[in-house]
Amino acid sequence: MMTNKYFKSFLNSAISILPIVAIVFALSLSGFAPINNNDYVMLSIGAIIMIFGLSFFQIGAQNSLIRVGEYMGASLSKQKRLIVVIIFAFLLGALVTCAEPSILIMSKQAGLNPILLIGAIAAGVGIFVVIGILRIIFRKSLNVWYLAFYLLVFMLICLLQVDEANHAFLPFIFDAGGITTGSATVPFILALGAGVAMTRGGNKSKDSSFGLVGLASVGPILTMIILILINSSGFHEYTVPESASPDLSLTVDWAYIGSKFLDALLPKANYSSMGSMVEVAMALSPILVIFFIYEAIYIKLSVKKVLSLLNGFLVSFVGLTLFLTAVGSTMSPIGLKVGQELANEPDWLVIVIAFVIGAVTILCEPAVHVLTTQIEDMSSGQLKKGTVLVTLSIGVGAAICLSVIRAIFKFSIMWYVIPGYLISLTMMFFVPDLYTAIAFDSGGTASGPMAVSFVLPLVIGLFSSKNGITHGVEFYDSAFGVVSMVALTPIMAIQLLGLANKFQTIHALHVVRDQIHDVRNNEIIHFN
């Protein structure tokens, strides 16, 4: 039984990783985005490491992050002292976010003060995790909360839009909401919401279990807008990182390849990078510390359960470290190089390729597999994992496609964001509540490490080569925003899936009623 679980996890991971690797190979061999022998070898080795890493992470998350979230959620919902709920919910949300790998990756790529960026995002997530848990406890409508907070977001955006000095940062602000919910935070926040919802009970407990990830994504957008309106001095002009590697036509530089993986794994001597091993430890340790403080006071688990949790965290640590090491050493530099090479192709072809890359990339996000599995479980099989994955794939494909169009033609992201959120917020009132909650959770989950590490560098590379720009504030306005689009389009895609399901249900009810009506008519005795 255990062997089958590991084999199934490994097979799912391979199915997730290999398609995007195959696309990079296909683009290179076809001449669209050529890479050298070192890149071929690094990508091959990286793919193997990512497969094992994703497999271990999925297994470990089931036995650690998800269980901790369920324990905490169930216990917090029983707390009579509201202040305890607020304090621990805020600490959990903020501390987990402080070391979210996607945020760390973004802070390096964006050339920002990491303390300023991470602090602002963490504060936003902590506040909105508290709001989300209180919403579940007091059984308030999720739709009203989304509507209220997004209206507040757009009111503040109007202030930023008229600020000549800082309006270029708008795309990055929306990206901040997308990068919040990644591979470390999503499993935990999902389980936290599920634990609170199931303990509170009620007819809509399953509907209430989703939506916390979506709310957590709103907080950083608000805090980043406020931060930039007050003081944007922590933002520097963006500079395209160097993507060139040794140009060896026939030989392979194994020392160079090994150094790249070690650089991604271990801290650098000048501390310019902490390495994936330290970053993942930082991502997981706050959850452990806060949980065991709370557990010792309120939950008091058995020694056996505590050891099981620790073992799950160890497996998650190994898996996520391997995964992010391979992502950082191979996917980011190759993504930048692929984008730069694609800039030489016709625009229509680049747009088509971007859609394919986006549709495949979503399958490589670790948190997406955690989310889709939980969706299938919590919906009692009503929403199949495969159906949700295909829907998300189409949505993210459209997101990358639209981002590439914007990078090529250089226009404001507001032309996407305002209509997109207006449509989404309007559909909330026509789509079943379960689908709305899942939709906003899916949006936050889709924009994880792969979107930040591969897709964002690809768009940056495309923008820099297409427009002959290598540094400047212009990058924030035109090249960034892809993560926010990856977070937006899946929301609408899942809502459309919910709308289709609603129409199917209505049609099925009409068919049944017609059949019942016909049967009853046949039983009527007519007297002449």
Side-chain angles (χ1 to χ4, degrees):
M1 189 73 176
M2 184 65 71
T3 304
N4 290 338
K5 182 177 74 172
Y6 279 101
F7 177 77
K8 184 178 179 180
S9 176
F10 178 83
L11 185 62
N12 289 337
S13 299
I15 293 172
S16 300
I17 301 297
L18 292 178
I20 194 166
V21 175
I23 285 176
V24 175
F25 271 85
L27 289 173
S28 176
L29 294 173
S30 61
F32 290 123
I35 57 177
N36 59 37
N37 280 358
N38 282 339
D39 294 327
Y40 282 124
V41 174
M42 287 181 65
L43 192 57
S44 301
I45 296 173
I48 295 170
I49 295 174
M50 281 190 287
I51 290 170
F52 278 101
L54 182 57
S55 178
F56 287 144
F57 173 74
Q58 289 176 329
I59 294 169
Q62 291 290 332
N63 298 320
S64 58
L65 293 169
I66 292 177
R67 286 189 182 178
V68 166
E70 289 171 349
Y71 289 141
M72 288 291 297
S75 180
L76 286 173
S77 64
K78 297 175 184 176
Q79 283 289 340
K80 295 181 180 179
R81 290 182 294 175
L82 202 60
I83 188 65
V84 175
V85 177
I86 292 171
I87 290 173
F88 278 95
F90 176 81
L91 287 174
L92 284 167
L95 290 178
V96 170
T97 306
C98 278
E100 169 58 45
S102 296
I103 299 176
L104 294 170
I105 294 169
M106 176 67 88
S107 66
K108 297 172 189 174
Q109 294 193 9
L112 306 179
N113 182 332
I115 296 175
L116 195 65
L117 175 67
I118 296 171
I121 292 176
V125 174
I127 292 168
F128 273 75
V129 165
V130 172
I131 292 172
I133 288 178
L134 293 178
R135 179 200 72 82
I136 297 172
I137 291 175
F138 294 109
R139 298 174 185 174
K140 300 298 180 180
S141 170
L142 182 64
N143 291 357
V144 172
W145 286 102
Y146 276 137
L147 189 61
F149 286 120
Y150 274 108
L151 284 175
L152 178 59
V153 165
F154 284 108
M155 286 172 60
L156 291 174
I157 282 175
C158 290
L159 294 177
L160 193 61
Q161 185 68 43
V162 297
D163 185 345
E164 290 293 332
N166 296 319
H167 73 84
F169 296 119
L170 273 173
F172 181 79
I173 288 171
F174 282 100
D175 280 355
I179 62 175
T180 299
T181 45
S183 51
T185 54
V186 166
F188 180 80
I189 292 178
L190 278 174
L192 186 66
V196 174
M198 298 309 292
T199 303
R200 295 298 295 179
N203 295 329
K204 294 187 177 182
S205 61
K206 289 184 178 180
D207 291 8
S208 298
S209 65
F210 295 102
L212 190 55
V213 173
L215 273 177
S217 300
V218 181
I221 298 176
L222 286 171
T223 51
M224 288 297 293
I225 293 174
I226 295 169
L227 172 65
I228 292 175
L229 284 172
I230 295 172
N231 181 15
S232 62
S233 60
F235 288 77
H236 309 291
E237 288 192 356
Y238 184 85
T239 302
V240 179
E242 295 182 6
S243 62
S245 57
D247 186 17
L248 304 175
S249 56
L250 297 175
T251 60
V252 175
D253 190 342
W254 292 101
Y256 167 80
I257 292 171
S259 68
K260 283 293 183 181
F261 281 107
L262 287 176
D263 284 346
L265 175 66
L266 303 173
K268 291 185 178 179
N270 59 358
Y271 298 105
S272 60
S273 172
M274 299 302 294
S276 61
M277 183 180 290
V278 175
E279 290 171 355
V280 173
M282 291 170 61
L284 298 179
S285 57
I287 307 174
L288 278 171
V289 172
I290 295 300
F291 172 72
F292 282 118
I293 290 174
Y294 186 90
E295 188 273 336
I297 301 173
Y298 298 107
I299 302 177
K300 304 184 189 303
L301 294 173
S302 65
V303 175
K304 183 178 180 181
K305 288 184 177 179
V306 170
L307 291 176
S308 176
L309 284 173
L310 290 173
N311 181 64
F313 271 104
L314 179 61
V315 176
S316 296
F317 170 77
V318 172
L320 197 52
T321 298
L322 290 173
F323 181 82
L324 291 180
T325 298
V327 166
S329 59
T330 60
M331 302 312 293
S332 293
I334 290 177
L336 183 67
K337 185 178 294 186
V338 168
Q340 291 171 335
E341 295 293 338
L342 284 177
N344 300 317
E345 303 299 329
D347 291 343
W348 69 267
L349 182 59
V350 176
I351 292 169
V352 171
I353 292 173
F355 178 85
V356 175
I357 291 174
V360 172
T361 300
I362 186 65
L363 302 176
C364 302
E365 293 289 358
V368 167
H369 294 274
V370 176
L371 173 70
T372 51
T373 299
Q374 188 163 347
I375 287 173
E376 186 169 9
D377 293 341
M378 296 301 294
S379 65
S380 302
Q382 181 184 356
L383 287 173
K384 298 295 183 183
K385 179 177 180 178
T387 303
V388 178
L389 275 175
V390 170
T391 305
L392 288 176
S393 182
I394 295 171
V396 175
I400 309 304
C401 181
L402 292 171
S403 297
V404 165
I405 292 173
R406 197 172 69 85
I408 292 171
F409 297 104
K410 297 175 64 178
F411 55 87
S412 173
I413 195 173
M414 292 296 104
W415 289 101
Y416 289 154
V417 170
I418 292 177
Y421 278 106
L422 282 176
I423 292 170
S424 180
L425 293 172
T426 302
M427 280 201 293
M428 285 195 311
F429 299 99
F430 301 97
V431 175
D433 290 345
L434 176 62
Y435 282 89
T436 295
I438 289 172
F440 279 89
D441 279 357
S442 300
T445 306
S447 49
M450 289 304 294
V452 179
S453 297
F454 180 74
V455 177
L456 178 58
L458 185 146
V459 176
I460 289 172
L462 175 69
F463 174 78
S464 63
S465 293
K466 201 79 177 175
N467 299 287
I469 302 171
T470 57
H471 67 279
V473 178
E474 242 184 316
F475 275 94
Y476 293 106
D477 193 27
S478 300
F480 282 89
V482 60
V483 180
S484 63
M485 290 304 299
V486 170
L488 173 59
T489 52
I491 297 175
M492 293 187 286
I494 295 294
Q495 285 180 313
L496 288 172
L497 181 66
L499 209 58
N501 182 266
K502 184 177 182 178
F503 286 139
Q504 277 185 328
T505 303
I506 293 172
H507 176 70
L509 285 173
H510 278 304
V511 171
V512 171
R513 285 172 184 167
D514 290 341
Q515 290 175 344
I516 293 173
H517 185 266
D518 289 342
V519 170
R520 287 179 178 174
N521 281 345
N522 291 335
E523 292 176 352
I524 295 175
I525 300 175
H526 298 276
F527 295 94
N528 294 324

